[in-house]
C-alpha cells in the first residue's frame, strides 16, 4: 500500500505520540452524486492538505439511509458508488471513509474503503458496531445527539471486544429542542479519556433538523467558529463536508462548506494549533 495513502491512518494509529501541532481532516461531499464530484473534491482537498502537511481522509456516503422525506435523494446505487470511492482511493492515493447502516453492509463496504463510519443515530447498535469492528477496518463512531460523551466509552468497548482497537469518536452536537444542536466541547477530553482520537464534526453540528419542509436547514456561516473552537480545545481531527456548489448539493447542502473556503480555513486552524503549542 502506498505510504502517502495510509499517512492519515498511520497518524492516528501508529502507536506513538502524534505531532501536537498537527490535526487530521475528514472531508468530502455528503453523498456520492457522480464521478466528477468525488474526484474533483478529493483532488482539490488533497492538494491543500499536501501543501499544509495535514493528514487527510476523504469522506462520502455511498448511500444516505437516514432522510426525512421518502422522496429525498439517497444515492446512485450501492455498488456504483462504492466503486467510485475505490477509484478515489486508488487514483488519489487517499484513505476513504463511508457510512454503514446495517451489519451486512460492514463487510460489503469494507471491500472498498479504509474507514467505516457509524452514523450518530446508530451509535448504540451493538451488532452494527461489532460487525464494523470485525472487518479490521478503522471505525469512526459519531456520538448520538442524545448520548453523553461519557457514555460513548461503551461504543468503543463493543468494538474492542471483537479485537479491533482502531476506533475514533466524533462529536457532532447534541439536540437543543427540536430544531437545533449545540456542541459541548467538554466532550473532547471526556471522549479522549477512552483512549481514542476524537474528531469534531463542524458541519453536521450546525444542522437545523426537523424543519416543516422536510429539508434539514443549517448555519454554514458558523463552520469556522466551530472549527476554530475544536482546534483550540484539543480535537485530534475535524470533519467537514464540502462541495463546489453547496446550493446544488443533493444532500445536506444547507450546512456544507463551499470548497473554495477550505484552504483559508485550514490555514487559520494550523495557526491556532501552532500558537497553542508555543504559548
Amino acid at each position: 500500500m502506498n505510504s502517502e495513502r495510509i499517512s492519515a491512518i498511520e497518524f492516528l494509529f501508529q502507536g506513538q505520540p502524534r505531532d501536537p501541532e498537527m490535526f487530521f481532516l475528514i472531508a468530502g461531499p455528503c453523498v456520492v452524486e457522480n464521478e466528477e464530484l468525488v474526484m474533483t473534491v478529493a483532488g482539490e482537498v488533497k492538494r491543500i492538505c499536501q501543501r499544509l502537511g495535514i493528514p487527510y481522509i476523504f469522506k462520502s456516503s455511498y448511500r444516505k439511509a437516514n432522510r426525512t422525506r421518502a422522496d429525498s435523494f439517497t444515492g446512485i446505487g450501492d455498488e456504483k458508488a462504492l466503486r467510485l470511492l475505490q477509484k478515489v482511493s486508488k487514483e488519489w492515493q487517499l484513505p476513504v471513509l463511508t457510512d454503514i447502516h446495517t451489519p451486512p453492509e460492514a463487510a460489503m463496504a469494507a471491500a472498498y474503503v479504509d474507514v467505516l463510519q457509524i452514523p450518530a443515530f446508530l451509535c448504540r447498535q451493538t451488532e452494527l458496531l461489532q460487525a464494523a469492528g470485525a472487518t479490521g477496518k478503522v471505525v469512526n463512531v459519531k456520538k448520538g445527539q442524545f448520548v453523553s460523551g461519557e457514555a460513548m466509552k461503551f461504543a468503543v468497548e463493543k468494538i474492542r471486544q471483537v479485537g479491533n482497537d482502531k476506533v475514533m469518536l466524533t462529536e457532532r452536537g447534541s439536540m437543543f429542542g427540536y430544531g437545533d444542536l449545540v456542541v459541548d466541547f467538554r466532550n473532547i477530553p471526556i471522549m479522549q479519556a477512552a483512549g481514542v482520537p476524537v474528531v469534531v464534526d463542524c458541519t453536521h453540528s450546525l444542522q437545523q433538523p426537523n424543519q416543516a419542509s422536510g429539508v434539514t436547514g443549517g448555519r454554514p456561516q458558523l463552520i469556522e467558529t466551530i472549527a476554530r473552537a475544536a482546534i483550540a480545545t484539543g480535537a485530534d481531527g475535524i470533519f467537514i463536508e464540502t462541495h463546489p456548489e453547496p446550493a446544488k448539493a443533493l444532500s445536506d447542502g444547507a450546512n456544507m462548506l463551499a470548497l473554495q473556503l477550505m484552504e483559508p480555513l485550514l490555514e487559520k486552524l494550523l495557526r491556532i494549533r501552532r500558537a497553542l503549542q508555543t504559548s
Side-chain angles (χ1 to χ4, degrees):
M1 185 179 289
N2 185 287
S3 60
E4 192 175 65
R5 179 172 178 264
I6 63 173
S7 62
I9 304 301
E10 288 182 333
F11 176 76
L12 293 168
F13 300 106
Q14 61 186 347
Q16 53 186 292
R18 294 188 289 275
D19 180 354
E21 291 189 358
M22 188 50 62
F23 56 89
F24 72 100
L25 174 69
I26 299 172
C30 178
V31 64
V32 176
E33 299 178 13
N34 54 61
E35 181 173 346
E36 180 182 7
L37 174 66
V38 294
M39 296 301 288
T40 296
V41 173
E44 176 61 9
V45 180
K46 178 178 178 177
R47 178 193 69 77
I48 296 166
C49 288
Q50 276 192 320
R51 184 179 75 79
L52 298 175
I54 297 172
Y56 172 43
I57 298 171
F58 176 82
K59 180 272 169 185
S60 194
S61 298
Y62 74 90
R63 172 160 49 91
K64 296 299 290 183
N66 175 29
R67 304 309 309 272
T68 303
R69 288 170 30 173
D71 61 351
S72 295
F73 177 78
T74 58
I76 60 174
D78 291 357
E79 185 175 355
K80 183 177 180 180
L82 286 167
R83 289 191 181 279
L84 285 179
L85 292 175
Q86 188 177 56
K87 184 173 183 178
V88 167
S89 180
K90 289 181 176 179
E91 293 202 10
W92 289 114
Q93 291 297 296
L94 287 169
V96 170
L97 173 154
T98 200
D99 301 273
I100 60 171
H101 316 90
T102 64
E105 291 179 49
M108 178 183 71
Y112 297 89
V113 304
D114 304 278
V115 185
L116 300 176
Q117 180 167 277
I118 308 301
F121 285 130
L122 302 176
C123 70
R124 292 177 49 144
Q125 298 299 105
T126 301
E127 289 185 359
L128 177 59
L129 291 165
Q130 294 188 334
T135 67
K137 298 290 184 175
V138 177
V139 182
N140 180 35
V141 186
K142 286 197 165 185
K143 185 187 76 65
Q145 302 92 325
F146 48 90
V147 178
S148 70
E150 290 89 347
M152 289 304 293
K153 67 183 178 182
F154 300 115
V156 175
E157 288 174 2
K158 290 176 182 179
I159 297 167
R160 287 176 173 164
Q161 283 172 359
V162 296
N164 190 340
D165 288 325
K166 295 179 290 186
V167 187
M168 51 187 175
L169 297 176
T170 294
E171 163 65 38
R172 55 96 73 225
S174 299
M175 287 303 299
F176 187 71
Y178 290 116
D180 203 3
L181 296 160
V182 294
V183 176
D184 184 349
F185 290 97
R186 296 175 298 178
N187 283 329
I188 296 174
I190 287 170
M191 294 194 295
Q192 286 170 333
V196 297
V198 172
V199 183
V200 173
D201 184 336
C202 304
T203 46
H204 289 97
S205 59
L206 291 168
Q207 286 181 330
Q208 294 177 311
N210 301 317
Q211 301 297 306
S213 65
V215 178
T216 297
R219 304 180 73 186
Q221 69 274 19
L222 295 176
I223 291 171
E224 182 174 324
T225 300
I226 298 295
R228 290 171 66 159
I231 294 304
T233 49
D236 298 289
I238 57 171
F239 178 114
I240 297 177
E241 286 192 338
T242 185
H243 194 287
E245 299 181 271
K248 296 182 179 180
L250 299 180
S251 176
D252 282 2
N255 54 265
M256 278 202 272
L257 182 74
L259 184 59
Q260 66 267 27
L261 300 178
M262 181 69 75
E263 191 162 13
L265 174 58
L266 293 177
E267 289 173 343
K268 290 178 184 178
L269 299 182
L270 277 177
R271 289 198 295 270
I272 291 170
R273 179 59 64 90
R274 289 168 178 167
L276 289 170
Q277 295 304 317
T278 57
S279 61

